[in-house]
Amino acid sequence: MQQRCWRYCGGMQVKAHSIPSSPADATLAETVLADAARHRAAHGRTTILAISGLQGSGKSTLADAVVAAARRHGQAAATLSLDDLYLTAAQRRALAAEVHPLLCTRGPPGTHDLALADAVLDAVTAGRPLRLPRFDKLADDRLPERDWPRVDAPLDLLVVEGWCVGVPAEPQDALETPLNALERDEDAQGAWRGYCNQALQTRYPALWRRLDRLWALQAPSFEIVTAWRGQQERGLVAAHPGRAGMDARQLARFLQHYERVSRQALRTLPSHADHTLWLDESRRIQRAA
């Protein structure tokens, strides 16, 4: 059941009506767009709006809905996923050889090309033509630049979405105890999780500061991510017949790479985001702030 009196906080007008049902709700997209438009009107430049949420929470769906709403209003808008900024497979293999074998797997902080992220945001804020990076998850590698979509005109809005956007690092002592079997068996000395946390502490905050507004989709728990991400994997495979995805065992191991930072996101994002939407296990929005 939808709750009443969703409060549009942070300078937004308080209205009494039903909470949008899910991240795909058109009313929610219009609300998020209005938040971005107010920022653009106040600052006179492209708004970089971020949507953060654990895997499968609906952040890509919401990002696409906001961009579609912007275009209906005559605004130039595009999306960029943090997933599209992963280091290439070759770069991750090199990092794995130099630092720790687990860094061959995309996803955790330290496996993104932050220089590429900065170059994209520099071009967007300057209104220069650019290509937006794209990553092929089934191939586990970045697409060639010739296959990236072009943006020729200045943007009014760029929506950046990602599973760990805006998440702060953990305290060092939190890293001492392994969180799951992957950490216990393959990172017994903590070198991998230490590297990822150090990256989150020293390298990612500069990127987070470039994001003008942050909306968080708050999952009910980390445990639901297995089901949500499994749905995503099946969708990827269905959309690309003949190409293999991960089976249940591979997916379970893959998600252990994300568990530590995902739990940190659940603990911290509601206090860091401009707006938070709390979801149930069916991705229905239960409350908002």
Side-chain angles (χ1 to χ4, degrees), residues 94-151:
L95 190 62
E98 179 183 350
V99 180
H100 193 284
L102 286 176
L103 289 168
C104 197
T105 299
R106 71 178 190 263
T111 63
H112 298 95
D113 189 335
L114 299 185
L116 177 60
D118 277 335
V120 169
L121 296 187
D122 287 345
V124 167
T125 55
R128 298 194 304 266
L130 75 152
R131 288 183 179 271
L132 293 171
R134 290 295 183 260
F135 191 90
D136 184 336
K137 290 183 178 179
L138 292 180
D140 193 27
D141 211 349
R142 192 183 299 161
L143 288 174
E145 188 170 348
R146 65 177 179 274
D147 295 332
W148 300 358
R150 287 185 57 87
V151 176

Side-chain angles (χ1 to χ4, degrees), residues 16 35 42 57 83 92 101 141 191 198 216-217 272 280:
D35 184 39
S57 59
D83 292 351
R92 283 180 281 119
D141 211 349
Q198 182 69 12
L217 302 179
H272 284 73
D280 67 10

Side-chain angles (χ1 to χ4, degrees), residues 55-58 61 224-239 246 248 251 255 280-283:
Q55 296 179 71
S57 59
T61 298
I224 192 59
V225 172
T226 299
W228 286 357
R229 183 60 179 81
Q231 292 169 358
Q232 281 188 329
E233 192 70 13
R234 291 189 292 273
L236 279 171
V237 173
M246 289 182 278
L251 182 61
L255 289 176
D280 67 10
E281 293 186 351
S282 298
R283 302 184 190 86

Side-chain angles (χ1 to χ4, degrees), residues 58-257:
K59 57 190 178 295
S60 299
T61 298
L62 177 56
D64 288 343
V66 172
V67 167
R71 290 172 177 170
R72 287 195 300 271
H73 289 282
Q75 300 177 27
T79 61
L80 176 67
S81 175
L82 194 66
D83 292 351
D84 290 321
L85 297 169
Y86 288 134
L87 296 169
T88 66
Q91 289 171 321
R92 283 180 281 119
R93 285 193 296 270
L95 190 62
E98 179 183 350
V99 180
H100 193 284
L102 286 176
L103 289 168
C104 197
T105 299
R106 71 178 190 263
T111 63
H112 298 95
D113 189 335
L114 299 185
L116 177 60
D118 277 335
V120 169
L121 296 187
D122 287 345
V124 167
T125 55
R128 298 194 304 266
L130 75 152
R131 288 183 179 271
L132 293 171
R134 290 295 183 260
F135 191 90
D136 184 336
K137 290 183 178 179
L138 292 180
D140 193 27
D141 211 349
R142 192 183 299 161
L143 288 174
E145 188 170 348
R146 65 177 179 274
D147 295 332
W148 300 358
R150 287 185 57 87
V151 176
D152 294 316
L155 292 174
D156 298 305
L157 172 67
L158 178 68
V159 181
V160 178
E161 55 89 1
W163 76 276
C164 65
V165 170
V167 178
E170 289 185 277
Q172 189 64 30
D173 59 4
L175 307 179
E176 294 176 3
T177 303
L179 199 60
N180 53 39
L182 181 83
E183 293 189 358
R184 183 192 66 228
D185 299 338
E186 301 183 48
D187 187 38
Q189 302 304 313
W192 168 71
R193 56 188 182 267
Y195 179 89
C196 296
N197 195 64
Q198 182 69 12
L200 201 56
Q201 181 177 23
T202 61
R203 297 168 51 203
Y204 283 71
L207 177 59
W208 302 159
R209 287 192 293 270
R210 302 193 68 171
L211 308 175
D212 298 313
R213 305 295 291 164
L214 176 58
W215 286 70
L217 302 179
Q218 183 79 350
S221 68
F222 174 74
E223 284 67 31
I224 192 59
V225 172
T226 299
W228 286 357
R229 183 60 179 81
Q231 292 169 358
Q232 281 188 329
E233 192 70 13
R234 291 189 292 273
L236 279 171
V237 173
H240 300 87
R243 300 181 67 184
M246 289 182 278
D247 61 26
R249 181 186 60 80
Q250 292 169 325
L251 182 61
R253 181 181 183 279
F254 178 71
L255 289 176
Q256 289 185 52
H257 293 79

